[in-house]
Amino acid sequence: MRGITRRALFAGSAVGAAGALLPTAGPAAAGPRTARASYRAGYHFTVPEQWKNDPQRPVWIDGSYHYYYLHNADYLAGEIGTAWRLATSTDLVSFTDRGIAVPKDTTPNGDVWSGSAVVDTHDTAGFGAGAVVVLATMSPHDGPADQAQYLYYSTDRGRTFTPHGTDPVLPNPGVRDFRDPKVIRDEERDRWVMTLAENDKVGFYHSVDLKSWTYVSGFVRGGIGVLECPDLFRIRAGDGTPKWVLGVSANGKGAGLPNTYAYWTGSFDGSAFTADATDPQWLDYGWDWYGAVTFDKHGPDGTLDEGTRYAIGWLNNWDYAHITPTIDSDGFNGTDSIVREITLKRGGDGGYFLASRPVAALDRYVSRTVTLGDLEVEGTRLLDYRGTAYELTCEITWDQLTGAGVQLRRSPDGVRHIDAGVHRDYAYLNRRATVSPDLTGRWQESHSPFDPSRRAVRLRILVDRTSVEMFVDDGRYVHSSAAFPYLVDTGLALFTVEGKAVFRNTVIREFRV
């Protein structure tokens, strides 16, 4: 996916200037006003300044994860085009900015779009053993049939990259939408495999040297928009069964489906992927988990965990990508989801699904814990807690009711809030009653399946200054959405609809990163 980043979209929106979203009175704004209050996330990754969009799959180099992402240093000036910026981390919670790694506009081909980096351990490309090679999409004339794949390489362990000439290593054969190469190593067959987004198809390609590529097969699925940012990996389920997973970022809103990461479990023979089912599953049901990537989980000594992967997504949506108060408050636009740990589980129907949980290292950053225990609720119960960035966990149990959940970032008068919970046969996240980036009003409440006969649900909800991520029942379903509550809206309440419930083991944790 590319980085089309014009601030004019924000400036002309119905929300108006970002300052309209910033409080001018109340506890968070008390005292002399020498600068605007900050909307920068408390414990999520944010770009230091200007713009970011797509995450690029992190790679493990010398004991740390190298996380590249699309970055536009000219965003606030209204100029378009992205480079790859680098941040490194040993635990995927705290990151160190390393600056631009793959620059834009240094060749006639212009800026650099999405792709993937690999460590060429065996020197298959000829740049030296251990060289880091990037395959990325570029479009010299910015046309839909002009997208092709280009190669950059690094001999300083992924810090800076040099273009391998100016010609593509995989030219466009004359098709519309031909982008986002994702490369993995097939050690069994001593070759590289690339997946490529080609409109409603994922193309598969082989190479022995990362420079010359041959098309071998395609996986076609329509009805969920143009496919972007493909992903292919092998993972072992908790019962020991290995599965291949093919993922894509897709916009299924027109069909009443999410606009996030669709995936299929199945098999891969080195050339073609065969899905277990025709319809995809979704790794997130919210509105804002796009361009997501998964990547290997390594132990401190570099050993690979075959049963767990990590994942990170862009907490934004192209429908309203330029509407955020962080532009004026902090001079940036670009926030990511928390890094997740992804595991494969077997469902009651015999099929397999991916489950998500926040990265375990987040536990090491807890700065305050508020234990509220078991709370009985009928109607609305306002809690004695105030906060803008925290985690809430609880298990809700009941005998008979219509719905139950929590009101997050509640205003002092109770009018503004974000609702998260279950209602009849679905779980939901609703941002309608707060400041939302969706100016159409259509994409305010997200839904995922829920079985009410269980009479219980476990919720783990990550709240930050401009986002909410809700993990339902140990991450079987996840909802990630951007929301921009006033910074003075710090309240928290529990509620039920037409019945009584007990919110068991209710705990709030705050983090210092």
Side-chain angles (χ1 to χ4, degrees):
M1 189 168 60
R2 69 161 304 170
I4 305 172
T5 54
R6 288 195 182 276
R7 192 184 180 212
L9 265 173
F10 176 84
S13 74
V15 174
L21 304 182
L22 297 166
T24 57
R33 292 287 300 218
T34 57
R36 290 192 182 276
S38 176
Y39 270 73
R40 189 178 288 275
Y43 58 97
H44 286 72
F45 179 86
T46 56
V47 64
E49 74 277 333
Q50 302 282 343
W51 165 272
K52 84 165 294 293
N53 56 303
D54 291 16
Q56 308 302 308
R57 182 186 62 202
V59 290
W60 178 262
I61 303 173
D62 297 335
S64 68
Y65 290 95
H66 284 48
Y67 170 43
Y68 303 95
Y69 58 89
L70 295 193
H71 168 68
N72 182 9
D74 306 308
Y75 175 64
L76 295 178
E79 300 297 326
I80 65 173
T82 49
W84 280 30
R85 190 161 179 159
L86 169 64
T88 59
S89 177
T90 58
D91 63 9
L92 299 172
V93 177
S94 176
F95 290 83
T96 301
D97 178 53
R98 303 296 184 183
I100 299 298
V102 184
K104 68 175 181 177
D105 301 330
T106 57
T107 77
N109 300 311
D111 62 330
V112 188
W113 301 5
S114 281
S116 58
V118 295
V119 179
D120 188 11
T121 305
H122 305 300
D123 190 23
T124 65
F127 303 118
V132 184
V133 176
V134 160
L135 276 296
T137 303
M138 301 176 78
S139 181
H141 305 293
D142 202 22
D146 190 38
Q147 300 165 11
Q149 318 321 314
Y150 295 78
L151 188 150
Y152 286 76
Y153 66 94
S154 169
T155 57
D156 61 1
R157 308 302 288 162
R159 293 298 180 89
T160 60
F161 287 80
T162 301
H164 174 59
T166 58
D167 292 331
V169 294
L170 180 55
N172 191 312
V175 302
R176 184 183 182 92
D177 301 314
F178 192 71
R179 57 180 181 261
D180 307 340
K182 191 68 61 66
V183 177
I184 62 173
R185 180 67 182 169
D186 184 350
E187 292 288 3
E188 179 183 349
R189 300 170 183 87
D190 193 26
R191 65 192 179 198
W192 300 93
V193 177
M194 176 196 292
T195 53
L196 195 68
E198 304 176 27
N199 199 276
D200 64 349
K201 182 180 79 172
V202 176
F204 292 87
Y205 297 78
H206 288 165
S207 176
V208 296
D209 61 3
L210 294 168
K211 298 174 181 177
S212 300
W213 294 89
T214 302
Y215 175 80
V216 292
S217 72
F219 178 86
V220 179
R221 287 296 184 273
I224 53 175
V226 174
L227 308 183
E228 297 189 293
C229 304
D231 194 16
L232 178 68
F233 59 90
R234 185 179 185 270
I235 188 170
R236 188 175 298 277
D239 64 5
T241 303
K243 283 284 183 180
W244 282 88
V245 177
L246 178 65
V248 293
S249 281
N251 184 352
K253 289 192 296 187
L257 298 169
N259 179 24
T260 59
Y261 182 106
Y263 71 92
W264 297 262
T265 61
S267 59
F268 181 65
D269 64 4
S271 297
F273 178 83
T274 302
D276 292 333
T278 300
D279 294 332
Q281 301 185 70
W282 297 83
L283 202 46
D284 198 292
Y285 283 75
W287 301 120
D288 305 308
W289 201 69
Y290 202 74
V293 292
T294 72
F295 53 104
D296 291 336
K297 179 182 179 181
H298 291 275
D301 61 353
T303 55
L304 183 65
D305 185 340
E306 294 185 347
T308 307
R309 287 181 71 81
Y310 291 123
I312 188 171
W314 180 42
L315 262 172
N316 209 334
N317 186 309
W318 282 117
D319 287 353
Y320 41 73
H322 307 278
I323 299 175
T324 168
T326 61
I327 297 173
D328 281 355
S329 69
D330 300 272
F332 81 94
N333 182 357
T335 301
D336 283 338
S337 72
I338 204 73
V339 173
R340 304 176 182 177
E341 295 181 358
I342 304 296
T343 56
L344 185 67
K345 297 184 177 182
R346 188 168 186 170
D349 61 356
Y352 289 85
F353 65 90
L354 296 176
S356 306
R357 60 177 178 259
V359 62
L362 189 62
D363 294 342
R364 300 201 292 267
Y365 291 84
V366 175
S367 59
R368 181 190 179 206
T369 300
V370 180
T371 302
L372 300 176
D374 297 347
L375 302 172
E376 190 172 282
V377 179
E378 186 170 12
T380 301
R381 179 170 177 172
L382 185 63
L383 302 183
D384 185 19
Y385 175 80
R386 302 289 180 271
T388 59
Y390 55 89
E391 172 200 77
L392 170 70
T393 57
C394 65
E395 181 179 18
I396 310 173
T397 62
W398 62 89
D399 290 326
Q400 185 174 356
L401 53 62
T402 301
V406 297
Q407 289 185 345
L408 310 160
R409 301 296 305 275
R410 194 175 191 265
S411 63
D413 60 5
V415 172
R416 297 184 301 274
H417 46 81
I418 302 166
D419 292 352
V422 295
H423 190 90
R424 299 190 190 278
D425 61 352
Y426 59 87
Y428 69 94
L429 179 62
N430 188 311
R431 61 188 180 185
R432 186 179 303 279
T434 192
V435 182
S436 166
D438 173 38
L439 305 182
T440 70
R442 298 177 62 193
W443 317 115
Q444 304 290 13
E445 182 171 288
S446 54
H447 289 181
S448 63
F450 176 72
D451 178 7
S453 68
R454 294 176 46 237
R455 296 190 175 93
V457 64
R458 290 182 300 277
L459 300 180
R460 184 176 182 182
I461 305 174
L462 303 184
V463 179
D464 216 327
R465 293 188 180 95
T466 59
S467 65
V468 175
E469 295 166 273
M470 178 176 72
F471 296 77
V472 181
D473 287 333
D474 300 324
R476 173 65 178 91
Y477 301 103
V478 186
H479 296 241
S480 300
S481 290
F484 309 138
Y486 295 162
L487 295 179
V488 295
D489 292 351
T490 60
L492 176 62
L494 313 178
F495 69 87
T496 64
V497 179
E498 298 177 348
K500 181 189 299 184
V502 178
F503 289 67
R504 301 186 185 279
N505 301 317
T506 306
V507 176
I508 298 166
R509 301 196 302 175
E510 298 173 353
F511 307 100
R512 181 178 291 112
V513 177

